[in-house]
Amino acid sequence: MTDLSTVKRGAALLNDPELNKGTAFTEAERTALGLRGLLPPRVMTQEEQLERILPGVRSRPTPIDQYAYLVGLHDRNVTLFYRLVMDHLEEMMPILYTPTVGQACQEFGRIFRRSRGLYVTSDDRGRVREVLANWPHDDVRMIVVTDGERILGLGDLGANGMGIPIGKLTLYTACAGLHPMQCLPITIDVGTDNTHLRESPAYMGLRQPRLRGAAYDALLDEFVEAVQERFPHVCLQFEDFGNHNAFTLLEKWRNRISTFNDDIQGTASVTLAGLYSASRISDTAFKDMRLLFLGAGEAGIGIGDLVVSAMVEEGVSLDEARQRCWFVDSKGLVVKTRTDLASHKKPYAHDYPATESLLEAVEALKPHAIIGVSGMPGTFTAPVLAAMARQHARPIVMALSNPTSKAECTAREAYASTDGRAIFASGSPFAPVTHKGRTHVPGQGNNAYIFPGVGLGVIVADASRVTDEMFAAAARTLANMVSEDDLAMGRIFPSLSRIRDVSKAIATEVAEIAYRRGLARAPRPGNLEAAVAAAMYQPEYPTFAN
C-alpha cells in the first residue's frame, strides 16, 4: 500500500500519469485524496477500463492516429497504457514501434503533446550534468540515446528521432518488464543536415547543420561521463547513430561502462538466431552457410562479426568464417582491390574479382542466405530471388531494413519468386501469404526479441559490462524457443505472444554470464530464474491507504 501522506492530491494526482488510476480510484480513495467531483461517479476496474479503451484505439483510421491515441493514454495513465500493450502486444507493437514509429518520427512535431525524456543539445556543452540533474527519478537503470542521424532507414531526422528511444523503452517494459520509472529516453540534439526539417515550422529541434568533429566528440564524452555520475547503475544503449559515430562510440566505451549498440549487436543477435532456426529446415548446417549481405554499415558488419564468432565456436577457423561472409555496398562487392573501404569493412574484403551488382554476386557466390540491411527497398528483385531458388532448395531471404517501406522485398515477392520455397524473415511485420494453396507465416526478425531480455539480465545482475558473449547466448536462447510448429509454417522466430517468456529466458542467460565472468555487481540470488521473474514489472494499480 502507498502512504497517503506521500502522494499528491486532487487534480495534481490526476495529472500525474505515473500515479493516476482514473476511474479506478475507489470510493475510499476518492474521499481521502480529494477526488470527489473530479471524476465520473462510476468506479471501474482496470479490466473495465480496458474494455472502454481498446475500441478507441481500434477505431482510429490510420496507424499514426492509433499511435497518437496511445501516446495520449500514456500521458494520462502509464499503468493502464502498459496493461493494454502487454495484453495485446502483437496488435500494439507495430503501432508503437516499427513500422509506425518511422512515420511518428517524421511527423514528431505535429503529434507532439507532452514531453517525454530528456533533450541534451550542443548548446549544453559544459552543463550536461545540470541537464541530467533535472530528471526527477534517481534510480534509472536503462537509457536509450540517439542523436537522430540515422533513424531506421529514413536518414537524418534530428530531434524528431526522439520517437525511437521512447519506442524502444516502451518495448523494454512491455516485452521484458523493466519498470517504466527506471527507463529514460534521451535525444542529443546537435542539429540536422536535413534542410527540409530545419525549414519546417513544426520542427522543434536546433535549426542548424549537424555538429561534427572534435566538438561533437567532446559533447558525447561529457554526456557519457555525466550519465555515469548521475545514474551509476545504468546501462546505456546507443541507438540510430550514423555509422562512423556508432562504431566509434561502441569501441570507445564498451570495455569501460555498461553499454551496447542495438543496431550493431541486437540486430546481429536476432539475425544469428534466425540463421540457427533456418538451418533446421534448410539443407545446410549453420557453420557451413555462405552469407551475402546487402549493406555494409553498422547492422551488416555487426551481424557478420557475431556470425563469425559463432562459427568459430563451432570449430571453423577465423579466416574461414570470415570467408563465409560477403558484403555488397553501394559500390559493389567488398573486395581487396577496392581502395575506398572504411576500416570496419576491411576484414570482409576478400581476394575476388570486383562485382558491381547484387545479382552478379548472387550468381557468382551462390550464397545460402541473402541478408538485406541496406535501407534500399526493392533491391531483392525477382531475378535475384529466382537465382537464389535455382541454387538452393530452401533459400534463406532476410529483408531486414525498417520500416516496411524500406524492406528489400516483401514476403509475397519472396515466396512468389522462389515458388514458395524461401525461408523468409523481415524487420517489419508482413501478413501471412498463401502461395499455391499453402499458407506461409513470415518470421519477423525484430530486435525486440533480443534487447529487452538482454537489458533485463544486465539490470538483475547490475552488470558492469555488456559483452558479445551475452548477445551470442541470447541468439541461441531465442533459436531454441522456435518450435517445430513454427518451422512448419515457415516462421523462424517464435510468436510475439511468447515474447515475455523469451525475454525471461534470455535475461536469465545474460545474468548467468555476468556472474560467471565476474561482471555482476549485485549479489547472486539463490534462484536466478526466479529473481529475473520477480524483477519483471506488472502494470497493477497501487492501493492508497492512511
Side-chain angles (χ1 to χ4, degrees):
M1 294 206 177
T2 303
D3 187 347
L4 287 181
S5 65
T6 65
V7 300
K8 302 171 183 177
R9 294 173 53 82
L13 177 58
L14 297 180
N15 288 326
D16 185 337
E18 296 167 10
L19 294 175
N20 181 30
K21 296 162 58 172
T23 55
F25 281 109
T26 66
E27 293 287 355
E29 288 171 337
R30 295 179 187 212
T31 298
L33 294 167
L35 297 174
R36 291 227 167 263
L38 300 180
L39 291 165
R42 179 186 168 192
V43 175
M44 302 179 77
T45 66
Q46 192 179 71
E47 290 70 25
E48 290 171 330
Q49 289 179 315
L50 288 177
E51 290 176 5
R52 183 176 64 85
I53 291 292
L54 185 57
V57 179
R58 291 172 173 167
S59 68
R60 267 42 189 184
T62 66
I64 193 66
D65 291 316
Q66 293 174 320
Y67 176 94
Y69 185 90
L70 288 170
V71 168
L73 174 60
H74 183 280
D75 289 345
R76 299 190 304 274
N77 187 328
V78 169
T79 307
L80 186 61
F81 169 84
Y82 280 110
R83 180 79 280 155
L84 174 67
V85 174
M86 290 182 192
D87 286 358
H88 301 275
L89 189 59
E90 289 185 89
E91 180 179 356
M92 298 299 154
M93 188 182 288
I95 300 170
L96 291 168
Y97 202 61
T98 180
T100 310
V101 73
Q103 184 181 357
C105 288
Q106 291 173 311
E107 301 184 28
F108 197 78
R110 181 182 69 82
I111 63 178
F112 178 89
R113 295 294 181 272
R114 176 175 178 164
S115 186
R116 286 173 65 182
L118 280 175
Y119 292 85
V120 176
T121 77
S122 52
D123 294 338
D124 293 320
R125 174 94 183 271
R127 60 181 183 188
V128 173
R129 287 165 178 80
E130 298 173 27
V131 175
L132 294 181
N134 290 334
W135 188 248
H137 303 293
D138 294 329
D139 189 28
V140 171
R141 297 301 183 96
M142 181 59 65
I143 288 175
V144 178
V145 60
T146 187
D147 72 352
E149 185 173 8
R150 194 202 62 83
I151 298 299
L152 302 174
L154 302 171
D156 187 350
L157 297 184
N160 282 10
M162 179 57 101
I164 296 296
I166 289 172
K168 287 277 185 178
L169 288 165
T170 297
L171 297 188
Y172 267 114
T173 299
C175 299
L178 272 66
H179 197 287
M181 301 308 104
Q182 293 184 323
C183 298
L184 172 56
I186 296 180
T187 289
I188 298 179
D189 184 359
V190 293
T192 175
D193 291 336
N194 186 328
T195 55
H196 173 75
L197 270 185
R198 291 207 307 261
E199 295 169 1
S200 169
Y203 184 60
M204 296 182 291
L206 295 179
R207 295 172 179 270
Q208 65 185 39
R210 183 169 286 277
L211 183 72
R212 300 190 184 277
Y216 176 93
D217 295 340
L219 176 66
L220 268 293
D221 286 350
E222 181 184 353
F223 167 75
V224 174
E225 291 164 3
V227 163
Q228 298 307 301
E229 292 178 17
R230 177 74 174 89
F231 310 112
H233 299 284
V234 78
C235 178
L236 180 62
Q237 175 183 325
F238 291 103
E239 188 72 27
D240 284 3
F241 284 73
N243 281 335
H244 171 73
N245 289 326
F247 285 110
T248 299
L249 289 166
L250 181 61
E251 291 308 310
K252 182 170 188 174
W253 295 106
R254 66 188 304 170
N255 295 318
R256 299 163 64 182
I257 67 172
S258 181
T259 188
F260 68 96
N261 184 303
D262 186 54
D263 302 305
I264 298 173
Q265 294 158 290
T267 302
S269 185
V270 76
T271 305
L272 177 59
L275 292 171
Y276 282 145
S277 298
S279 71
R280 293 163 59 184
I281 50 178
S282 73
D283 56 357
T284 308
F286 163 72
K287 68 182 182 64
D288 297 324
M289 284 183 179
R290 187 166 48 258
L291 312 178
L292 179 60
F293 296 83
L294 180 63
E298 56 196 282
I301 297 299
I303 298 167
D305 288 346
L306 195 62
V307 163
V308 166
S309 66
M311 287 183 172
V312 169
E313 192 171 311
E314 293 195 16
V316 180
S317 71
L318 177 61
D319 288 343
E320 187 178 357
R322 283 180 174 161
Q323 284 289 334
R324 303 270 172 83
C325 296
W326 296 75
F327 288 83
V328 172
D329 64 12
S330 60
K331 298 181 180 178
L333 195 64
V334 173
V335 293
K336 281 188 176 180
T337 53
R338 285 179 49 182
T339 59
D340 59 344
L341 297 177
S343 59
H344 61 270
K345 301 180 186 180
K346 290 181 179 178
Y348 298 99
H350 303 311
D351 190 5
Y352 197 81
T355 299
E356 291 187 5
S357 75
L358 176 64
L359 179 57
E360 289 178 286
V362 168
E363 296 279 16
L365 299 172
K366 298 178 172 55
H368 300 94
I370 50 174
I371 301 171
V373 283
S374 66
M376 299 294 291
T379 42
F380 287 176
T381 61
V384 166
L385 295 167
M388 290 291 294
R390 285 195 304 274
Q391 295 162 0
H392 302 286
R394 298 302 305 272
I396 302 167
V397 178
M398 293 183 161
L400 300 180
S401 291
N402 288 317
T404 310
S405 61
K406 298 295 182 178
E408 285 77 12
C409 69
T410 67
R412 186 171 297 280
E413 289 166 345
Y415 296 125
S417 295
T418 62
D419 196 28
R421 292 186 283 117
I423 303 170
F424 177 80
S426 57
S428 292
F430 282 100
V433 174
T434 299
H435 178 82
K436 293 185 177 180
R438 182 183 176 188
T439 298
H440 304 266
V441 180
Q444 187 186 354
N446 194 320
N447 290 18
Y449 282 114
I450 298 293
F451 69 80
V454 170
L456 177 61
V458 167
I459 289 172
V460 168
D462 193 12
S464 60
R465 303 288 184 273
V466 186
T467 66
D468 285 343
E469 183 183 8
M470 295 174 180
F471 285 100
R476 289 192 297 271
T477 302
L478 175 58
N480 288 338
M481 298 189 77
V482 178
S483 69
E484 292 300 323
D485 288 341
D486 290 325
L487 298 177
M489 293 186 287
R491 185 166 62 193
I492 57 176
F493 299 99
S495 168
L496 282 172
S497 63
R498 299 179 59 206
I499 200 164
R500 282 178 72 89
D501 290 335
V502 170
S503 295
K504 182 169 66 174
I506 289 174
T508 303
E509 291 297 317
V510 167
E512 176 61 43
I513 291 170
Y515 284 108
R516 188 167 63 243
R517 301 301 184 196
L519 300 173
R521 294 174 290 193
R524 184 183 181 104
N527 185 322
L528 189 53
E529 185 177 1
V532 168
M536 297 177 74
Y537 162 81
Q538 294 293 339
E540 298 169 349
Y541 286 136
T543 299
F544 298 96
N546 288 309

